[in-house]
Amino acid sequence: MVKDFNPKIGKTVIETLTMGMYEDARFIFREYVQNSADQIDIAVENKILKTKNDGSITITINQKNKMIEIEDNATGIPEADVLKFLGDIANSEKDNKNRKGFRGIGRLGGLGYCDKLTFSTSYAGENSSKTMVLDAKLLKKLLLDRSNTMDAAGVISIITDISTKREAPAKHYFKITMESVSNPILLDIDNIRNYLSQVAPVPFNPTFSFGAAIKKYFTKNNIVFDEYNVSLNTKQVFKLYQNTIIDNEIESKVLGVDYFEVRNHGKELLALGWYGYRDMVNNVLTDAKEKGIRLRKHNIQIGSETTLNKFFKIQRTNQRLIGELYVVGPGFIPNARRDYFNDNKTCQDFERELTATLQKENLENVLAHSASQISNRVAEIQDFQTAKSEYEQKKGSFKSYSEETHVYQELKSKEDKASKASKALTKLKSKALGNKKVKDIYDALTSDKDLKFDPNLKLKISKYDPPRFSKLTPAQSKIVLEIFEMIDEMLQYPKNDALKKKIIDRYN
């Protein structure tokens, strides 16, 4: 320790902690929701609320007035602790092992995106409420004024005003109000709903057929989801997952879910995951909002849909699936940006074992390759069936022997492919019996298809009278017909027919 050394924390650290740390302005919703979720947990522990279901986190976006309000009915903050709890920067006393937010910087997030940030709170049993107003507009001016040498604490004290009023003792709440919001994305209701549906600790949508089974499986393995009642403009927020996935306007159906676990060498559970597979799992999802297995702690997303890509042998495999991987245990400490974890032994063990687990699952080969094989073989049989039907319908109306021969040869080629495809599907069906996921995919891709194939197809080419040449003698006509044979040998349809038609027109 250096004697008489009193370092000064510059005011620009406030800018770093608000706008500078995160690339996505929407993070403020995640930070405020996770803080409310923590307080709901404490309210249940302190018997202020009976259960988490009694807690509520209400978000209201007023686009016309450019205002955002976020309110919970959890503990509120005791009057004696308001200044310390809300005024201190990065000085949280939260338990970093069991709480979702613990650094004490998230509440400042709104300062960078509005002109006025207000915190209002009342603690259960107290007959007063406190309101703290932070002048974000003044803050921006102070940060830009390089002649002003105040430190971060000094700046916060200047922009802060606090007041007290009477409140009913039975009331307990914490409310955040952002006025004159400057970023239009934060006022985009659909965008924010989509964001919260991905990152927030909210329940599965009741319409998602596999949600209850997933929760039951996790409960069986002693993992209970942290779920909270979050509403946006009076409508409850659920996770994005649905039975049907729409990607670039193409629908695919979720056929089932499977599970995987990550354990260290001591067999201690590090993470438990689920993933959903589709009938079109061979297609990489590019536009679907729910794509990718997502990393979560306390049911809050860590990083993005691509965070786990690097652990797959083939990275695109993750974008074929939907799902979640929940880490467990106090060793996982999210970094300040919440896009991954701090590097420690737990994280290192997790990375090593997750890589080994996913390689063992071999999902690219088991799912994507199988779906691709089944889909392609079905397409080859259907292609032949369509071509055969078109050939039979056109029989007798072909313009020439050459045209019919061309179509017939193409049909025979498709017949050969269909024959091989039919045999391959028989093998794939047998293989599917030993793997439920592959069987689900096989059934989905073949159940409503007519895959009948007649291996004894017998087709004949019609007989065509040779063309006549009114301007030529019989001997000359014979020579021209011999030339026609050479044309057919040298040129493909339709070029051969075009040339012969030109000759016929010339000599008639």
Side-chain angles (χ1 to χ4, degrees):
M1 180 177 178
V2 181
K3 190 177 181 181
D4 297 326
F5 176 53
N6 297 303
K8 185 176 182 180
I9 307 300
K11 62 184 180 181
T12 55
V13 73
I14 301 172
E15 185 176 16
T16 301
L17 295 177
T18 55
M19 298 181 69
M21 186 178 295
Y22 305 93
E23 295 178 358
D24 189 342
R26 298 176 299 177
F27 83 93
I28 63 171
F29 288 98
R30 181 194 64 208
E31 294 296 318
Y32 290 144
V33 166
Q34 77 179 15
N35 286 341
S36 289
D38 276 337
Q39 294 308 123
I40 288 174
D41 289 347
I42 295 172
V44 173
E45 293 165 10
N46 293 342
K47 296 182 171 41
I48 295 172
L49 297 174
K50 289 184 179 180
T51 68
K52 289 182 183 180
N53 286 334
D54 295 316
S56 65
I57 304 170
T58 304
I59 302 171
T60 303
I61 297 177
N62 187 322
Q63 294 176 320
K64 182 179 180 180
N65 295 331
K66 295 184 178 181
M67 180 182 292
I68 296 171
E69 295 177 319
I70 303 171
E71 183 174 2
D72 66 61
N73 66 340
T75 61
I77 303 171
E79 183 176 355
D81 296 338
V82 168
L83 277 175
K84 177 177 175 55
F85 189 88
L86 295 178
D88 288 357
I89 302 173
N91 190 33
S92 174
E93 296 179 356
K94 282 188 182 182
D95 178 0
N96 67 357
K97 294 181 179 180
N98 298 311
R99 300 304 179 200
K100 300 164 186 63
F102 55 86
R103 287 188 170 85
I105 59 177
R107 64 179 174 275
L108 296 177
L111 281 172
Y113 303 97
C114 65
D115 284 351
K116 184 187 290 185
L117 178 65
T118 302
F119 301 121
S120 301
T121 185
S122 181
Y123 190 73
E126 295 186 346
N127 62 359
S128 66
S129 69
K130 287 279 188 181
T131 297
M132 177 180 283
V133 180
L134 290 88
D135 190 336
K137 193 172 183 178
L138 176 59
L139 171 65
K140 293 179 179 69
K141 290 181 179 179
L142 293 173
L143 292 178
L144 289 172
D145 183 2
R146 298 305 176 188
S147 65
N148 187 313
T149 59
M150 283 187 297
D151 63 7
V155 169
I156 291 294
S157 66
I158 284 181
I159 68 168
T160 301
D161 187 32
I162 192 165
S163 60
T164 305
K165 69 176 184 179
R166 294 189 64 80
E167 184 62 275
K171 288 195 173 184
H172 45 92
Y173 58 85
F174 185 83
K175 183 177 181 180
I176 300 160
T177 304
M178 294 172 60
E179 298 179 52
S180 299
V181 175
S182 56
N183 192 319
I185 292 176
L186 299 180
L187 297 170
D188 185 333
I189 297 170
D190 290 339
N191 189 304
I192 299 306
R193 180 175 297 280
N194 169 60
Y195 175 77
L196 289 170
S197 295
Q198 295 181 58
V199 305
V202 294
F204 288 112
N205 196 310
T207 60
F208 180 51
S209 298
F210 305 97
I214 293 169
K215 289 181 66 174
K216 183 177 180 180
Y217 182 88
F218 274 68
T219 302
K220 184 179 177 181
N221 285 273
N222 300 314
I223 297 177
V224 178
F225 290 159
D226 289 321
E227 295 179 340
Y228 301 87
N229 295 321
V230 179
S231 65
L232 173 58
N233 285 26
T234 71
K235 185 178 178 182
Q236 186 171 1
V237 178
F238 295 104
K239 288 182 178 177
L240 285 173
Y241 305 112
Q242 296 284 352
N243 298 331
T244 300
I245 297 175
I246 300 176
D247 186 66
N248 292 313
E249 299 184 354
I250 298 175
E251 290 189 4
S252 59
K253 184 180 179 182
V254 180
L255 304 177
V257 298
D258 206 352
Y259 308 92
F260 63 103
E261 59 184 37
V262 183
R263 294 183 181 272
N264 61 18
H265 286 168
K267 302 303 179 184
E268 177 187 11
L269 183 66
L270 297 176
L272 189 64
W274 70 269
Y275 62 88
Y277 52 94
R278 306 169 291 123
D279 49 359
M280 297 172 63
V281 70
N282 51 311
N283 292 342
V284 174
L285 296 171
T286 59
D287 186 54
K289 294 180 177 63
E290 63 269 55
K291 65 184 177 183
I293 298 177
R294 314 294 183 94
L295 186 60
R296 302 182 85 87
K297 181 180 181 182
H298 295 312
N299 203 14
I300 296 176
Q301 183 171 295
I302 302 294
S304 70
E305 70 274 12
T306 63
T307 298
L308 294 180
N309 282 10
K310 63 182 180 180
F311 298 103
F312 289 83
K313 187 174 182 180
I314 301 176
Q315 292 195 8
R316 67 172 180 266
T317 303
N318 192 33
Q319 306 307 304
R320 300 184 188 279
L321 308 166
I322 62 170
E324 300 171 316
L325 178 61
Y326 293 77
V327 298
V328 295
F332 291 98
I333 303 174
N335 62 25
R337 291 168 61 95
R338 297 193 72 87
D339 57 8
Y340 201 56
F341 302 113
N342 289 345
D343 186 30
N344 58 23
K345 186 178 184 305
T346 299
C347 185
Q348 292 164 9
D349 288 347
F350 166 75
E351 291 182 340
R352 181 186 64 250
E353 298 305 326
L354 176 59
T355 300
T357 298
L358 292 177
Q359 287 188 0
K360 186 178 179 181
E361 289 283 324
N362 195 16
L363 297 176
E364 181 73 23
N365 187 38
V366 172
L367 297 181
H369 183 69
S370 294
S372 179
Q373 288 289 315
I374 296 167
S375 181
N376 288 342
R377 301 299 80 81
V378 168
E380 287 166 351
I381 293 175
Q382 290 186 315
D383 187 37
F384 166 70
Q385 291 173 334
T386 300
K388 177 188 173 185
S389 176
E390 290 175 350
Y391 177 82
E392 290 175 338
Q393 288 177 11
K394 201 171 181 181
K395 189 73 173 172
S397 62
F398 288 101
K399 295 179 181 179
S400 67
Y401 174 86
S402 179
E403 180 186 1
E404 183 174 358
T405 300
H406 170 74
V407 173
Y408 178 81
Q409 287 173 344
E410 284 194 336
L411 179 59
K412 292 297 288 184
S413 175
K414 291 179 179 180
E415 178 192 21
D416 183 55
K417 283 186 178 180
S419 176
K420 293 176 181 177
S422 182
K423 293 175 183 177
L425 276 179
T426 300
K427 292 181 180 179
L428 287 166
K429 184 177 182 179
S430 178
K431 175 185 175 183
L433 295 176
N435 186 307
K436 182 184 182 303
K437 295 187 286 289
V438 178
K439 184 179 184 302
D440 288 343
I441 294 170
Y442 182 92
D443 290 344
L445 293 176
T446 63
S447 61
D448 61 342
K449 307 291 191 307
D450 178 12
L451 300 177
K452 294 177 182 178
F453 175 73
D454 181 6
N456 299 312
L457 176 67
K458 293 181 180 179
L459 297 172
K460 292 182 180 180
I461 298 175
S462 305
K463 290 183 178 181
Y464 289 86
D465 294 329
R468 298 179 181 276
F469 305 98
S470 60
K471 295 180 180 180
L472 300 179
T473 66
Q476 290 172 328
S477 296
K478 183 177 180 183
I479 293 172
V480 174
L481 290 175
E482 289 175 356
I483 293 173
F484 276 15
E485 291 178 4
M486 288 185 280
I487 290 173
D488 286 339
E489 290 176 4
M490 298 299 294
L491 297 177
Q492 296 292 322
Y493 180 85
K495 288 184 178 180
N496 59 349
D497 255 21
L499 179 56
K500 289 188 292 183
K501 185 178 184 304
K502 200 164 188 178
I503 294 172
I504 292 170
D505 290 343
R506 172 71 63 86
Y507 296 106
N508 274 296

